Structure formats: structure tokens, C-alpha cells
Amino acid sequence: MPIQRGQRGGQLQSSLHWRWAAASCIGTSHLRMGTRKQDAFSVMRVHSDAMCAIVSDGAGSASHGGQGAVLVCRTLRVNFRNWFKQHEFLPSDETIMCWIDQLRDHLSLVAEKRGVTRRQFASTLVMLVVFKDQVLALQIGDSALVARKEGVWEAICWPENGEFASTTYFVTDDPEVRLHIYRFDRKHDAFALFSDGLESVALEQATQQPFARFFDPMIKPVDLARENGRLAELSEALARYLHSPALCDRTDDDKTLILVSCK
């Protein structure tokens, strides 16, 4: 089950020393149908002691799902960047919910201009914010977030499916959004965020645990990198892996993966 809260541990490295590799690729099913990639992501340092990472997956059944995913990532990134310009602490649950409501209103306005309903911008959300020794995670839908503590991977945000098969929850849902907010003190030295296109190769459904044999080799070069911030060469290598026939033969959906380390 997802982690709700942890016990306070020793002070870990500042997010100033975090490094990440990230990539996103279109699924072969979209290529066959001639449709655009529905996934979007964003990773950035939003404060000298804070970084955020976001993955959003547009609904395949929504005509503007990919655009909705881009707007979700962009809006929340700006919200947190502006917040940390004025504050030295994480925003409250009430503030975050206000941002989500504003995002939904913005999607409604964009949809109205396009002559469609907000539902046509349906997209999921998983977000990680690390501020000093605190962690904030947000989730709507079936994208996921896992973390490594003392060499062991565990789920923080497990994919949440809807009432029926192949359904989930979206930022645009009515009458209200199904938002989960998790807060805990950081004992982790690595995180991975990913869209549901990687669920079958990254997660063990029976035990609800991440596949260590998937994440351990993926995170190792990020752990060993000497640079901080975005690792361009590793991000390019990650993109090649996500496009590889070996992986695409196992999943035909869009695939997005963000690997973050401070080891």
C-alpha cells in the first residue's frame, strides 16, 4: 500500500545535489493509429532546496488528452515555482486543492474555446516534490511513484484504477477530483515516476511491489553520475531504451519514466 507518513530520520542531502534522467516516447499503438503522444512530464529545481517531478498521461479516449497532460505539468510546475519564491515550507493540502480547482477551471476555459467539453482534456497526475528533508507526493489516476530506501524499492503512489476494467481517474473528473496527497519525512535516496505504459514491466501486481530487477539497473548510472541536475546523455540513453523493440513488444502504450537520485 502507498506510504502515508514516515518517521523523522537524519538530515539527508539537500536537493541541490539531486540528479535525474527523464524521457518519454510515443507508444506503437499511437503510431499505428496516427495519433499523438498522450504523455507529458516535467522535472526542475524550483528552489535551491527543492525539486519537483511530474508525469501526466492523457486519456486515450479524450480528443485533447495529450494537450491536457501538457497543461497539467506546466500549471503545477509554475504553481510550485512561484510558491517557493515566497515561502520556505511546503504548501498546505488546502493550497494544493485550490491549485487543482484552478487547473480544472483553466481546462474548462480552454475546452470552451475549442468547442469541446473539459472531459476531452482528461489526464492523470503523479507528482513528487522534495523540499529539504520533506517529501510531498500527489496522485490522480494510474501513473505511479516508487522510492528506494536502504536499497529496497517501495511504492508511494500505486496506480489507481476505476470501477471498471481499463478505467482510471482524471484531473477533469466530475463532480470532484480524486486527489491523493502523501507527506512524509525523507529517508529515501532515489525515486522513479512513470506513466501506466510501464506498469506491466515495473510493478508486481500480486505483491504490489516495484520490480527491483527493473529499477536497480535503471537507477545505477544515475547514482554514479558526477553531475547534478538533468543528465542529458543518460536521458538520451533512456529515450532509446523506451523506444527499443524489446520494450515496445511488451507494451504498446506511451511510456514516460523519470529517474531521480541523490545517492
Side-chain angles (χ1 to χ4, degrees), residues 12-229:
L12 299 183
Q13 282 185 310
S14 162
S15 59
L16 181 66
H17 302 288
W18 289 74
R19 65 196 72 87
W20 60 83
S24 182
C25 80
I26 189 170
T28 54
S29 60
H30 289 289
L31 291 174
R32 288 195 302 270
M33 298 171 61
T35 53
R36 62 165 285 173
K37 181 164 67 73
Q38 302 292 317
D39 282 7
F41 75 93
S42 178
V43 192
M44 70 177 299
R45 183 173 297 128
V46 291
H47 179 280
S48 59
D49 287 318
M51 59 84 62
C52 71
I54 316 166
V55 172
S56 182
D57 178 6
S61 59
S63 60
H64 295 69
Q67 296 171 50
V70 170
L71 288 171
V72 166
C73 291
R74 180 186 303 159
T75 301
L76 289 175
R77 180 185 69 217
V78 170
N79 286 150
F80 276 90
R81 184 183 63 196
N82 290 341
W83 173 267
F84 283 115
K85 287 180 179 178
Q86 302 179 47
H87 304 88
E88 290 292 326
F89 52 88
L90 288 167
S92 66
D93 290 5
E94 292 75 15
T95 296
I96 293 168
M97 194 64 236
C98 181
W99 291 346
I100 295 294
D101 287 341
Q102 291 171 355
L103 168 61
R104 287 159 57 83
D105 290 343
H106 178 59
L107 290 173
S108 294
L109 290 174
V110 174
E112 184 178 355
K113 292 179 180 179
R114 301 289 179 87
V116 298
T117 64
R118 184 174 68 189
R119 174 64 180 78
Q120 297 307 316
F121 287 80
S123 49
T124 66
L125 164 69
V126 67
M127 182 171 188
L128 167 73
V129 182
V130 181
F131 177 66
K132 297 183 178 178
D133 64 344
Q134 296 179 301
V135 176
L136 169 70
L138 310 178
Q139 181 191 28
I140 301 169
D142 58 5
S143 294
L145 168 62
V146 301
R148 183 184 63 192
K149 180 173 66 177
E150 298 178 353
V152 178
W153 290 94
E154 54 190 3
I156 294 176
C157 297
W158 190 264
E160 186 174 31
N161 299 116
E163 182 178 355
F164 303 103
S166 301
T167 63
T168 189
Y169 302 98
F170 301 105
V171 174
T172 53
D173 285 349
D174 289 317
E176 59 184 7
V177 68
R178 192 179 177 95
L179 171 68
H180 297 286
I181 302 176
Y182 305 100
R183 298 175 184 270
F184 51 96
D185 296 327
R186 180 167 63 88
K187 293 184 179 180
H188 305 85
D189 62 7
F191 296 89
L193 301 84
F194 50 98
S195 60
D196 71 321
L198 288 171
E199 181 178 332
S200 62
V201 298
L203 299 175
E204 170 57 56
Q205 294 295 333
T207 61
Q208 289 207 334
Q209 294 295 323
F211 278 126
R213 64 178 179 270
F214 176 80
F215 289 105
D216 284 342
M218 298 291 286
I219 199 69
K220 185 175 181 179
V222 184
D223 285 337
L224 297 176
R226 296 183 177 181
E227 310 98 305
N228 294 320

